Amino acid sequence: AQSVTQLGSHVSVSEGALVLLRCNYSSSVPPYLFWYVQYPNQGLQLLLKYTSAATLVKGINGFEAEFKKSETSFHLTKPSAHMSDAAEYFCAVSPGYSSASKIIFGSGTRLSIRP
Amino acid sequence: GAVVSQHPSWVICKSGTSVKIECRSLDFQATTMFWYRQFPKQSLMLMATSNEGSKATYEQGVEKDKFLINHASLTLSTLTVTSAHPEDSSFYICSARGGLAGVWRSDEQFFGPGTRLTVL
């Protein structure tokens, strides 16, 4: 079975500060990992995905994540937070990147940005 | 490209009535569509997976007779909440996977904007 655990349901940082959202995964097979962002009352937008290529993945809006197998982690970072980054972020895992694969979502982390 | 729409964006209904939610892929053919529900401040829970022209596959604990899913075409899937009750109030999100024949194909799931259902 696969699962993801997001540490911290709410993270608050100052504008311009480093953003770090934590995600640990559990998978019996090499996982495919995703980070999604959700703005209020909207659907999900894919930020980035890891599909067994480079372990450092760069996404949209200046976000990136690093796959660390030894730590079973896939933390999301951004060097400098912007007010527009305030949203809900979901880490997700899939057993494969194919039409038959389901995506399992973490519980989400709400990111707040202080002026 | 790869835009998914949902209609309506919000709906309020009385207990006992049925509500239909549409999910459309606007510029690609969705061979597979997924339906999720999301309670306030919680994550997305997959309800069912539907392939065009086939019966939907429901996740454990999801009542097939209550949440009717139809995926009759490559661009449209519908979720009907039958005999809705207040506990069915939630944010329902669909996603679609597919491509444009001869042009592109992706296994990425593209998400709709969601439908907020409130049952009084």
Side-chain angles (χ1 to χ4, degrees):
Chain A
Q2 298 196 312
S3 66
V4 287
T5 301
Q6 291 184 242
L7 301 175
S9 59
H10 181 210
V11 171
S12 179
V13 301
S14 298
E15 189 175 17
L18 170 72
V19 174
L20 171 60
L21 304 183
R22 299 177 185 274
C23 173
N24 287 89
Y25 69 90
S26 173
S27 178
S28 57
V29 298
Y32 288 178
L33 294 158
F34 310 84
W35 275 100
Y36 288 87
V37 61
Q38 183 182 32
Y39 295 99
N41 295 311
Q42 294 187 28
L44 272 67
Q45 182 181 10
L46 180 66
L47 276 178
L48 50 81
K49 60 179 183 274
Y50 166 76
T51 56
S52 75
T55 56
L56 182 62
V57 182
K58 294 187 183 299
I60 61 172
N61 301 340
F63 284 94
E64 63 180 37
E66 186 172 8
F67 173 72
K68 291 187 177 181
K69 184 177 180 180
S70 60
E71 298 177 8
T72 61
S73 69
F74 190 59
H75 302 331
L76 181 71
T77 60
K78 182 174 180 177
S80 177
H82 192 272
M83 295 300 291
S84 61
D85 294 327
E88 188 85 16
Y89 291 80
F90 293 95
C91 182
V93 64
S94 172
Y97 197 56
S98 74
S99 59
S101 301
K102 301 175 187 177
I103 294 179
I104 308 300
F105 289 88
S107 55
T109 297
R110 182 165 61 92
L111 176 64
S112 299
I113 311 297
R114 302 188 300 271
Chain B
V3 179
V4 177
S5 70
Q6 284 184 238
H7 178 80
S9 56
W10 59 270
V11 57
I12 301 173
C13 69
K14 292 182 179 179
S15 185
T17 61
S18 294
V19 175
K20 179 184 286 188
I21 301 170
E22 294 184 347
C23 176
R24 293 182 184 272
S25 56
L26 299 185
D27 50 5
F28 67 103
Q29 295 171 328
T31 49
T32 305
M33 284 186 167
F34 304 83
W35 286 96
Y36 298 84
R37 67 186 298 181
Q38 183 182 31
F39 291 108
K41 300 188 186 301
Q42 294 188 29
S43 188
L44 281 73
M45 299 298 295
L46 180 64
M47 299 175 67
T49 303
S50 72
N51 293 297
E52 185 266 336
S54 303
K55 288 184 178 180
T57 301
Y58 290 80
E59 295 299 300
Q60 192 171 11
V62 178
E63 298 176 58
K64 301 178 183 181
D65 295 332
K66 181 163 187 64
F67 299 100
L68 301 179
I69 292 172
N70 183 282
H71 190 171
S73 79
L74 282 172
T75 59
L76 173 65
S77 176
T78 60
L79 167 67
T80 301
V81 183
T82 62
S83 186
H85 290 282
E87 57 265 29
D88 298 324
S89 298
S90 187
F91 195 50
Y92 291 87
I93 302 175
C94 74
S95 69
R97 174 191 277 158
L100 203 56
V103 180
W104 65 269
R105 191 187 184 286
S106 173
D107 288 319
E108 179 178 339
Q109 287 188 31
F110 301 101
F111 286 81
T115 296
R116 184 160 301 285
L117 169 64
T118 301
V119 184
L120 302 177

